[in-house]
Amino acid sequence: MPKYPVDTSGSNFSSLPEPTPGSLRQLDPDPVVHGRAAELAALRENLERDGVALLCGPPGTGKTTLALRLAHSVADRFRGGQLCADLSALSMDDVLASFIRALTHDRVQLWASRRAQLREVLGTRRVLFVLDNVSKGHDLALFRNVIATSRERLGGVVLGPMSPEDSLTLLRTHLGSRVDFEPEAARAFVKACHGLPLALVVAAGFARLRTTATLTALVEEIPAERGDVHDAFAWAYQQLSPDDRRVFRLLGDGFEREFSITALNALAGGDVRPSRNRLLALHLLENAPGDRITMHSLLREYAQSLTPREPEALGRLLDHYLSVADVETENAVAAVFVADDERRLALASALVDEMSVRVQEAAVEAARARENRAAEAVALAHLGHAWFDRGNLEEAERCHTEALEFHREPRALTGLANVYLESGGLEEAEALFKEVLAVRIASGDAAGEARALLSLGRTTGDIRYYEQARDICERIGDVVRLGRAYNGMGNVHQSAGSYEDAINCYALALQAFVDGLCLVNMGHAQLAAFGSSAAFTWYERAAEHAVRLRDKGLLADAARSLNAAGFVEEALRRMRQAEQLYLTAEDESP
């Protein structure tokens, strides 16, 4: 049965009294909006050009507030009225009925076609409609002039998190001078709200109740005040199918900033691309570069609060990152800190080349927890190498020495030898590298034998070690270390003043593997043999190679070499590039 009385005989609007005064002015009070100037300008332009200003985004980003601000800013252009409705609570038929009654009278008879009736009721009147929570199936064109919000990905202007500066301004409107008295704590406060206006308003509300508490103390309590924020997310969650809800819940067990579909499939234990696409459509996931996806941290926090949980899902995800640690390095590093001890050791071992102090410290703790002395020695050796990479020879020596106290671990022997070599202890370094060489030969580890020979060549300057390493690398097909062997041979020749022999060795090294340091060395040899013009090309090639690899140390070396060769202007340009790399680098602090 129809919900309202229906009149199919035609229009009866002329016989009805005028609408109740104020019934055509349904806008809530004009809100104060901080920031969002670009978004407001784009929405206003869309409304003027197309008659539709559509604003999309995840829950809690302030879509309704911004839509209301826009409506107030243009209300004087719509003297026929401003009508509002929330489509999360009403059907479109109910909304059309309420608009028709607002434009006519409560006793109006409704037609079978509400759309046709609304068009006739409107006539030439300029009325602004404001619709919250529209969805894919809603036709906005029939409203002529409409401001609409949606949690679905429908186009229009997409609203994301607020900037830290706008967040601080919003916080100041709620807390006043407390923000200025504790500027650092205020920044931590807005950071804990992750750029979500709703979260910030909720957190500011409980802060206003705690007038004698410092913001520093209140920051720790923000997660406990998430109830209203989670309520805003719950509506979107309830719109999902059971399968999509499961995937959303599982995302709470993730830890990545950005992740691939293969990682999501591993987490869920199957192909969940359709669910991923639906979550993207509802702004519960966001696109990230490289066809990857990301989830807002507060949505992930909400997902973690939902039941049922699947404890085995995290294990599947950790196993995935263990298998792809060489290409998914950033996420594999993050996995270390949520993994069990066994997986933590395996991940740390796979991430040795990352030279991460935090990762290897976690591995040492895991080995000790399992009372595995051999694994502890390996982890200590890796930790020593990480400290050495940061120039902290004291910590590096401590780690390697501790490892060697209960296991003659070759990696610890090598690390301690490198410490001695760096600090001028050539004899001690040579003895340790020879011990490593003996271990590698005894175990039949040809690659390890080549590495030890290269280290001995570097320590002693004896070209025979490099030649032996060259022969092994040619036999096993290790082109990287073959290049290093030829580079070492070139260094020996250059030290002896045999520049043509050095140039030949460097050419063979670069033929095997292009290495930035070898390019610089080739430049040095060319400079000594043929002058600065010949060296310029090689220093420039080294600089370009460094830029591609974002290797700030190599770029600085190339710049210094250019300067020494007399190319001051080019050296300054390259040094400025190196400075930018240093300024933007995300190196881990020791």
Side-chain angles (χ1 to χ4, degrees):
M1 289 182 62
K3 195 169 183 181
Y4 304 99
V6 175
D7 174 19
T8 59
S9 63
S11 173
N12 62 351
F13 307 137
S14 60
S15 62
L16 290 170
E18 288 296 313
T20 304
S23 65
L24 299 180
R25 304 288 187 268
Q26 297 180 354
L27 295 179
D28 286 338
D30 191 0
V32 176
V33 172
H34 300 284
R36 308 296 199 191
E39 291 90 341
L40 269 172
L43 288 166
R44 188 175 290 109
E45 181 182 344
N46 293 348
L47 182 63
E48 292 174 354
R49 185 186 64 237
D50 306 322
V52 176
L54 176 60
L55 181 60
C56 300
T61 49
K63 298 184 298 297
T64 300
T65 299
L66 198 60
L68 187 56
R69 172 80 278 277
L70 175 63
H72 275 282
S73 73
V74 299
D76 60 346
R77 305 179 198 175
F78 298 94
R79 300 188 181 280
Q82 304 93 40
L83 304 180
C84 304
D86 185 349
L87 284 159
S88 69
L90 298 170
S91 69
M92 182 58 85
D93 268 358
D94 290 340
V95 167
L96 293 177
S98 71
F99 288 163
I100 292 166
R101 287 178 167 169
L103 291 164
T104 56
H105 197 275
D106 284 344
R107 297 195 302 276
V108 67
Q109 292 292 314
L110 296 170
W111 298 359
S113 173
R114 310 274 164 80
R115 295 167 182 267
Q117 188 174 11
L118 178 63
R119 283 195 294 269
E120 177 144 345
V121 166
L122 281 174
T124 59
R125 284 188 284 187
R126 282 181 59 78
V127 176
L128 177 66
F129 296 93
V130 182
L131 302 177
D132 242 348
N133 295 303
V134 303
S135 62
K136 189 176 181 180
H138 294 139
D139 180 12
L140 300 181
L142 68 98
F143 296 104
R144 295 186 192 165
N145 295 287
V146 59
I147 300 170
T149 75
S150 179
R151 298 183 185 185
E152 298 183 24
R153 202 174 295 273
L154 302 181
V157 174
V158 177
L159 201 60
M162 294 175 69
S163 70
E165 291 72 23
D166 289 343
S167 297
L168 281 170
T169 302
L170 177 58
L171 183 64
R172 189 174 286 106
T173 65
H174 288 272
L175 300 184
S177 59
R178 292 173 73 182
V179 172
D180 300 312
F181 288 146
E182 299 180 73
E184 292 304 316
R187 288 195 171 275
F189 196 95
V190 299
K191 184 178 180 181
C193 296
H194 304 280
L196 206 63
L198 174 61
L200 192 57
V201 170
V202 169
F206 92 82
R208 283 200 305 273
L209 299 175
R210 305 280 297 283
T211 56
T212 60
T214 65
L215 290 183
T216 302
L218 293 176
V219 167
E220 298 180 2
E221 298 184 33
I222 288 177
E225 301 293 329
R226 295 280 198 236
D228 289 342
V229 179
H230 288 180
D231 287 346
F233 298 156
W235 181 86
Y237 177 71
Q238 294 302 323
Q239 311 310 306
L240 302 176
S241 70
D243 287 345
D244 296 348
R245 289 184 194 177
R246 174 180 176 261
V247 173
F248 180 80
R249 291 194 304 271
L250 286 173
L251 284 163
D253 293 322
F255 45 81
E256 315 94 314
R257 286 188 298 179
E258 298 172 357
F259 48 99
S260 64
I261 185 59
T262 55
L264 183 54
N265 287 342
L267 182 67
D271 186 356
V272 291
R273 283 174 292 183
S275 289
R276 173 203 59 185
N277 294 341
R278 286 188 288 271
L279 293 173
L280 278 168
L282 285 169
H283 286 281
L284 298 176
L285 285 176
E286 297 296 331
N287 287 299
D291 195 28
R292 297 163 78 80
I293 43 183
T294 187
M295 189 181 208
H296 192 284
S297 53
L298 292 188
L299 280 168
R300 178 168 283 173
E301 184 183 284
Y302 171 63
Q304 290 170 350
S305 72
L306 300 170
T307 56
R309 308 308 305 166
E310 296 183 32
E312 64 278 9
L314 179 59
R316 291 194 298 264
L317 184 61
L318 292 170
D319 288 339
H320 166 72
Y321 282 122
L322 181 55
S323 69
V324 296
D326 56 332
V327 292
E328 286 276 8
T329 304
E330 183 176 328
N331 286 330
V333 168
V336 169
F337 302 101
V338 297
D340 55 273
D341 288 338
E342 183 177 355
R343 289 189 177 96
R344 182 171 296 176
L345 283 169
L347 282 163
S349 181
L351 292 167
V352 173
D353 290 342
E354 274 303 289
M355 293 296 177
S356 168
V357 169
R358 292 174 60 243
V359 165
Q360 299 308 331
E361 283 178 338
V364 171
E365 292 175 5
R368 287 173 179 165
R370 295 175 63 83
E371 298 183 350
N372 186 332
R373 299 290 272 178
E376 183 181 349
V378 172
L380 279 167
H382 292 163
L383 179 57
H385 284 292
W387 281 121
F388 181 85
D389 191 60
R390 281 159 179 73
N392 192 328
L393 301 185
E394 184 177 347
E395 280 297 312
E397 183 175 1
R398 180 189 63 79
C399 291
H400 294 311
T401 301
E402 188 177 345
L404 292 172
E405 285 177 359
F406 48 87
H407 189 67
R408 298 300 284 181
E409 165 58 47
R411 280 160 284 200
L413 290 168
T414 299
L416 189 57
N418 283 328
V419 171
Y420 287 143
L421 185 60
E422 187 71 16
S423 55
L426 299 182
E427 292 184 5
E428 296 91 338
E430 181 179 355
L432 288 171
F433 282 135
K434 284 182 176 178
E435 183 177 350
V436 174
L437 179 61
V439 171
R440 300 304 190 192
I441 291 173
S443 64
D445 181 357
E449 183 182 350
R451 292 196 300 272
L453 287 166
L454 289 172
S455 296
L456 281 165
R458 183 162 49 94
T459 304
T460 65
D462 188 337
I463 199 169
R464 290 175 296 178
Y465 288 123
Y466 288 124
E467 290 170 341
Q468 292 176 54
R470 174 201 61 193
D471 295 342
I472 293 172
C473 291
E474 285 179 340
R475 187 178 77 246
I476 65 176
D478 187 338
V479 294
V480 175
R481 291 186 176 84
L482 177 60
R484 292 176 185 171
Y486 276 121
N487 184 61
M489 292 165 63
N491 290 342
V492 174
H493 286 305
Q494 183 153 327
S495 296
S498 302
Y499 300 121
E500 289 190 13
D501 289 336
I503 288 170
N504 289 334
C505 287
Y506 293 142
L508 289 168
L510 293 169
Q511 184 178 333
F513 182 78
V514 177
D515 178 80
L517 181 60
C518 188
L519 289 167
V520 171
N521 288 338
M522 175 68 95
H524 294 338
Q526 295 281 347
L527 179 66
F530 306 112
S532 59
S533 296
F536 177 80
T537 299
W538 297 99
Y539 292 148
E540 270 292 281
R541 283 185 61 185
E544 284 301 311
H545 186 72
V547 169
R548 284 195 298 273
L549 298 181
R550 299 187 62 78
D551 186 334
K552 51 188 180 291
L554 174 62
L555 186 53
D557 284 343
R560 283 189 288 266
S561 299
L562 283 163
N563 185 62
F567 302 101
V568 178
E569 185 175 341
E570 187 61 24
L572 287 172
R573 185 174 78 86
R574 293 302 187 181
M575 190 58 75
R576 282 193 290 269
Q577 288 181 317
E579 287 173 353
Q580 283 302 113
L581 289 180
Y582 276 102
L583 289 172
T584 58
E586 296 181 356
D587 287 349
E588 174 196 20
S589 298

